[in-house]
Amino acid sequence: MNRRPVDPVDEAGQWTRLQEYLKAEFGRDAFETWLSKLEFKGIDAGTAVLAAPSPFIRDWIQRHYLSRIKETWARNNAAVLDVQVLATTGAARSTMGEEIAAAADAQAPGAPGAPEAMTARGDLPVVSDDSYGSPLDPRYTFDSFVVGKSNELAYAAARRVAEASELPFNPLFLHGGVGLGKTHLMHAIASEVRRKQPERKVMYMSAEKFMFQFITALRYKDTVAFKKQFRAVDLLMIDDVQFIANKNSTQEEFFHTFNALVDNRRQVVLSADRSPTDLTGIEERIISRLGWGLVADIHPTDYELRFGILQSKAEQLKCIDIGSDVLEFLARRISSNVRELEGALNRVVAYATLVGRPISIDMSRDVLQDLIRANDRKVTIDAIQRQVADYYNLRLSELLSARRARNIARPRQVAMYLSKRMTARSLPEIGRKFGGRDHTTVMHAVKKVDDLRRTDSSLDDDIHRLSRLLEG
Ligand code: ADP
Ligand code: MG
């Protein structure tokens, strides 16, 4: 046996830590629906082995999360070269992966080929809870949300929705980059309504979970119950709707649910990482309806807001011994988003508690080295997309569209190429940011541009110039 002698307790500890990272990265909902189902089996000759309870979940994780799990793990432990996900039941059979893909991408329910695929047999998928909605995080309230210029519109709109007895605007569409408080505001709405108007039926879930439940319903020919669940709701909130881009049958079902509710004067609240008009891979008629109510964007934070958030979090942590000089330092240096800012504060506090050192700027700088470095030269996919669109005189929505005209497709490939080269994002993540494209499309683009650069000097120039612009 070539099994390395490793401490099994430490191995399991690694997985526990990794789970925390994954939760932060993918959000609690995706984590609970999928990643929490994984069981750590051990590390064998550089390969970490995880077990999923069914082939269905295994395939889903491989498709959506595996590359990120690998990257994160390797970063935390250089000895882990690969990660394998096995299914504990029926591992040998099953084409569940294809089945899910077919169900998700079928033109519409009832499209040729789709129904058979969807009724193929397989293991029972495990659903995290027996109600349709997702649990709410009790910490995400209006009280704990710090308001600044960048989020005041979204905050005010969310409050109106939670407090109004009449529908102020329908739907409310919240959008903004990751970690800026969309999910927080949605949970706050749900909690407030549940508290003040308990007779109203509130349902909150991520678009990913919506899709999962829809596909499950299709498989078990239980769509009637599925539809009924939603139509009985007074306030429906779907988080991260960009997820259903390019998932045609899910999109269709979402649209029906949405229309039925809005037509019956029920409140709908949606969130996405971009505005309705920039949502590619979602049908035009759907997009236009999404924008009928109020569209409120959350901008990146400014220094004052970051400082305010840190003050409020430090109070909650009851760590009286963190000086405002340290908070100032963090607010200045960690500017990417609130999630990272919170993570930085937690890390500093945890470290101080563990080693019993007082919290100072020097100590924070040590403990946060990696985060600070990443924030100093953080190029995001969003920034790349904007810069490339600008450079080639395209609209962002064109760049992200499905159009294949050369004058759009080439800049799009360039943007994918730069995203791979200049950010730490994985191919599937990049694909998702480009209107839900497949990771193989991104891979192809990267290779194509790499090849072209060698022969096409004007393209090579473009790339140098764009890189310089982006690095600032
Ligand atoms: P998003 O859904 O936009 O990606 P989240 O709502 O998950 O972002 O927010 C990420 C983290 O940052 C959460 O822990 C949330 O409580 C916190 N957060 C974001 N904005 C604020 C704010 N204005 N005040 C307090 N906490 C915030
Ligand atoms: Mg969110």
Side-chain angles (χ1 to χ4, degrees):
M1 284 295 286
N2 52 355
R3 197 179 155 82
R4 280 186 309 118
V6 273
D7 177 4
V9 175
D10 186 49
E11 283 186 7
Q14 264 181 44
W15 171 239
T16 312
R17 269 198 307 284
L18 202 70
Q19 284 182 308
E20 288 308 311
Y21 285 110
L22 298 173
K23 204 183 287 178
E25 170 149 359
F26 294 111
R28 204 154 300 131
D29 206 25
F31 182 83
E32 247 133 52
T33 312
W34 306 106
L35 299 164
S36 66
K37 308 277 183 282
L38 289 172
E39 195 190 328
F40 177 70
K41 289 292 185 191
I43 299 177
D44 199 351
T47 299
V49 181
L50 299 171
S54 74
F56 166 61
I57 292 180
R58 174 202 59 200
D59 289 352
W60 187 280
I61 285 170
Q62 283 176 343
R63 203 174 275 261
H64 296 279
Y65 301 113
L66 188 57
S67 65
R68 202 65 196 136
I69 294 178
K70 276 187 201 168
E71 281 174 27
T72 312
W73 211 323
R75 214 173 38 239
N76 281 277
N77 179 359
V80 171
L81 307 173
D82 198 11
V83 179
Q84 227 181 7
V85 184
L86 311 172
T88 43
T89 54
R93 62 181 157 90
S94 172
T95 53
M96 281 305 296
E98 281 103 29
E99 180 179 342
I100 292 304
D105 298 333
Q107 278 312 305
E116 288 75 21
M118 282 176 233
T119 53
R121 45 184 288 274
D123 311 298
L124 259 176
V126 180
V127 185
S128 59
D129 50 70
D130 46 15
S131 72
Y132 276 73
S134 305
L136 299 175
D137 189 320
R139 291 168 308 172
Y140 292 174
T141 61
F142 285 123
D143 282 344
S144 66
F145 193 82
V146 183
V147 186
K149 269 204 278 314
S150 57
N151 59 21
E152 62 188 358
L153 174 65
Y155 172 81
R159 272 219 102 110
R160 274 296 296 284
V161 165
E163 282 160 7
S165 45
E166 276 297 294
L167 306 185
F169 15 72
N170 210 9
L172 168 60
F173 191 104
L174 301 171
H175 72 93
V178 302
L180 294 181
K182 300 181 296 294
T183 298
H184 187 135
L185 282 177
M186 292 182 111
H187 284 218
I189 296 174
S191 299
E192 184 78 3
V193 172
R194 279 191 186 158
R195 203 158 57 86
K196 294 246 181 82
Q197 309 172 49
E199 70 288 355
R200 289 178 79 191
K201 194 162 167 10
V202 180
M203 193 187 284
Y204 163 88
M205 74 169 66
S206 68
E208 189 169 12
K209 185 155 182 171
F210 179 90
M211 168 163 159
F212 171 51
Q213 306 213 332
F214 173 57
I215 291 169
T216 308
L218 284 176
R219 286 188 57 214
Y220 295 98
K221 297 190 165 153
D222 200 12
T223 50
V224 177
F226 174 83
K227 285 179 205 290
K228 234 166 100 188
Q229 276 283 341
F230 286 97
R231 312 288 151 96
V233 159
D234 295 301
L235 167 58
L236 176 68
M237 295 196 265
I238 305 277
D239 206 350
D240 288 321
V241 296
Q242 76 276 356
F243 183 82
I244 59 166
N246 297 321
K247 316 282 194 319
N248 293 339
S249 62
T250 303
Q251 205 178 106
E252 190 68 29
E253 182 59 28
F254 166 76
F255 190 50
H256 289 315
T257 306
F258 174 84
N259 282 338
L261 289 172
V262 172
D263 291 345
N264 282 306
R265 306 194 38 77
R266 312 289 171 83
Q267 179 75 52
V268 178
V269 181
L270 306 168
S271 87
D273 64 356
R274 62 195 78 176
S275 74
T277 45
D278 281 334
L279 277 171
T280 46
I282 294 190
E283 275 184 61
E284 207 51 54
R285 70 195 162 106
I286 301 184
I287 286 177
S288 89
R289 266 211 97 163
L290 297 185
W292 275 13
L294 180 74
V295 177
D297 54 349
I298 307 184
H299 299 279
T301 55
D302 55 20
Y303 169 78
E304 274 72 34
L305 179 59
R306 290 198 295 277
F307 186 72
I309 289 172
L310 285 170
Q311 272 184 319
S312 139
K313 304 274 173 198
E315 248 163 57
Q316 285 165 35
L317 286 168
K318 303 213 180 345
C319 52
I320 5 132
D321 50 351
I322 181 159
S324 58
D325 58 332
V326 173
L327 298 186
E328 259 175 54
F329 172 78
L330 295 180
R332 265 188 224 298
R333 303 304 292 270
I334 314 287
S335 56
S336 47
N337 66 52
V338 184
R339 186 173 297 144
E340 277 200 356
L341 190 65
E342 265 185 347
L345 178 66
N346 289 338
R347 212 201 280 180
V348 168
V349 171
Y351 186 81
T353 319
L354 277 175
V355 303
R357 245 173 88 184
I359 299 175
S360 67
I361 293 184
D362 278 346
M363 179 267 236
S364 307
R365 193 181 283 121
D366 274 358
V367 178
L368 301 174
Q369 258 179 32
D370 56 330
L371 266 183
I372 291 174
R373 219 178 305 123
N375 271 272
D376 282 350
R377 49 164 177 75
K378 190 142 209 162
V379 179
T380 62
I381 297 179
D382 291 315
I384 292 172
Q385 290 173 339
R386 274 195 302 272
Q387 187 67 256
V388 170
D390 205 43
Y391 187 87
Y392 290 104
N393 271 319
L394 297 171
R395 281 203 318 245
L396 187 59
S397 53
E398 287 175 312
L399 189 78
L400 302 180
S401 70
R403 289 177 54 194
R404 293 187 181 185
R406 178 76 169 276
N407 66 325
I408 298 176
R410 183 72 78 229
R412 185 184 301 133
Q413 289 179 323
V414 166
M416 288 181 181
Y417 172 85
L418 291 170
S419 301
K420 184 65 200 148
R421 289 287 130 99
M422 300 185 79
T423 75
R425 303 285 124 196
S426 65
L427 295 172
E429 279 175 306
I430 296 172
R432 243 176 283 146
K433 293 287 273 181
F434 280 82
R437 285 179 164 82
D438 195 74
H439 71 100
T440 52
T441 309
V442 183
M443 206 155 69
H444 173 77
V446 173
K447 191 170 174 315
K448 180 90 195 169
V449 174
D450 248 339
D451 289 348
L452 280 175
R453 281 186 79 170
R454 279 184 223 123
T455 52
D456 182 342
S457 64
S458 90
L459 180 75
D460 194 48
D461 281 348
D462 287 350
I463 292 190
H464 280 299
R465 224 167 286 146
L466 279 163
S467 307
R468 269 200 305 278
L469 285 168
L470 283 160
E471 273 159 357

